[in-house]
Short mmCIF file of all heavy atoms in Angstrom, two decimals:
data_model
loop_
_atom_site.label_atom_id
_atom_site.label_comp_id
_atom_site.label_asym_id
_atom_site.label_seq_id
_atom_site.Cartn_x
_atom_site.Cartn_y
_atom_site.Cartn_z
N PHE I 182 123.72 132.63 141.47
CA PHE I 182 124.02 131.36 142.20
C PHE I 182 124.61 130.34 141.12
O PHE I 182 125.23 129.29 141.57
CB PHE I 182 122.76 130.81 142.82
CG PHE I 182 122.14 131.57 143.93
CD1 PHE I 182 120.96 131.19 144.55
CD2 PHE I 182 122.78 132.71 144.40
CE1 PHE I 182 120.31 132.00 145.46
CE2 PHE I 182 122.25 133.49 145.50
CZ PHE I 182 121.02 133.08 145.93
N ASP I 219 114.93 130.97 146.65
CA ASP I 219 116.02 131.94 146.95
C ASP I 219 116.85 132.22 145.60
O ASP I 219 117.21 131.33 144.94
CB ASP I 219 116.94 131.33 148.03
CG ASP I 219 118.07 132.21 148.58
OD1 ASP I 219 118.20 133.39 148.00
OD2 ASP I 219 118.73 131.80 149.39
N ASP I 230 120.27 139.78 146.63
CA ASP I 230 120.09 138.32 146.95
C ASP I 230 118.67 138.50 147.84
O ASP I 230 118.53 139.34 148.73
CB ASP I 230 121.23 137.98 147.91
CG ASP I 230 121.06 136.45 148.31
OD1 ASP I 230 120.21 135.77 147.98
OD2 ASP I 230 122.04 136.07 149.11
N ALA I 231 117.74 137.53 147.52
CA ALA I 231 116.48 137.59 148.29
C ALA I 231 115.74 136.31 148.17
O ALA I 231 116.05 135.47 147.20
CB ALA I 231 115.53 138.72 147.67
N ALA I 291 123.63 132.04 158.18
CA ALA I 291 123.41 133.46 158.54
C ALA I 291 123.28 134.46 157.34
O ALA I 291 123.69 134.08 156.27
CB ALA I 291 124.54 133.97 159.42
N GLY I 292 122.74 135.52 157.54
CA GLY I 292 122.83 136.60 156.51
C GLY I 292 124.15 137.04 156.46
O GLY I 292 125.03 136.66 157.08
N HIS I 293 124.39 138.11 155.48
CA HIS I 293 125.76 138.52 155.21
C HIS I 293 125.88 139.84 154.44
O HIS I 293 124.86 140.22 153.97
CB HIS I 293 126.25 137.35 154.15
CG HIS I 293 125.34 137.11 152.98
ND1 HIS I 293 125.24 137.74 151.91
CD2 HIS I 293 124.26 136.26 152.95
CE1 HIS I 293 124.32 137.30 151.10
NE2 HIS I 293 123.75 136.35 151.69
N LEU I 299 128.80 138.27 146.42
CA LEU I 299 127.60 137.79 146.90
C LEU I 299 127.60 137.74 148.37
O LEU I 299 126.67 137.94 149.06
CB LEU I 299 127.32 136.40 146.20
CG LEU I 299 126.10 135.62 146.59
CD1 LEU I 299 124.88 136.46 146.29
CD2 LEU I 299 126.08 134.37 145.87
N HIS I 300 128.73 137.20 148.89
CA HIS I 300 128.96 137.19 150.40
C HIS I 300 130.13 137.97 150.79
O HIS I 300 131.18 137.73 150.45
CB HIS I 300 129.09 135.67 150.75
CG HIS I 300 127.95 134.88 150.50
ND1 HIS I 300 127.92 133.80 149.45
CD2 HIS I 300 126.64 134.85 150.94
CE1 HIS I 300 126.77 133.25 149.48
NE2 HIS I 300 125.93 133.87 150.27
N ALA I 324 122.33 141.27 153.40
CA ALA I 324 121.18 140.39 153.16
C ALA I 324 120.81 139.82 154.56
O ALA I 324 121.66 139.18 155.18
CB ALA I 324 121.53 139.35 152.18
N GLU I 326 118.41 137.17 156.42
CA GLU I 326 117.69 136.11 155.93
C GLU I 326 117.26 135.02 157.01
O GLU I 326 117.88 134.01 157.17
CB GLU I 326 118.40 135.37 154.84
CG GLU I 326 119.92 135.09 155.11
CD GLU I 326 120.53 134.30 153.79
OE1 GLU I 326 119.91 133.51 153.18
OE2 GLU I 326 121.58 134.65 153.52
N HIS I 355 111.96 130.26 154.92
CA HIS I 355 113.22 131.16 154.71
C HIS I 355 112.71 132.49 154.13
O HIS I 355 111.85 132.33 153.16
CB HIS I 355 114.20 130.39 153.86
CG HIS I 355 115.44 131.23 153.40
ND1 HIS I 355 116.05 131.05 152.24
CD2 HIS I 355 116.08 132.07 154.15
CE1 HIS I 355 117.10 131.78 152.14
NE2 HIS I 355 117.21 132.49 153.31
N GLU I 357 114.26 136.45 152.85
CA GLU I 357 115.44 137.20 152.71
C GLU I 357 115.39 138.49 151.84
O GLU I 357 114.55 138.39 150.84
CB GLU I 357 116.61 136.38 152.01
CG GLU I 357 117.82 137.21 151.80
CD GLU I 357 118.98 136.21 151.18
OE1 GLU I 357 118.62 135.28 150.54
OE2 GLU I 357 120.07 136.58 151.35
MG1 MG X 247 121.70 135.24 151.08
#
Side-chain angles (χ1 to χ4, degrees):
F182 299 171
D219 187 358
D230 187 2
H293 48 90
L299 180 58
H300 297 116
E326 48 178 325
H355 180 210
E357 177 178 24

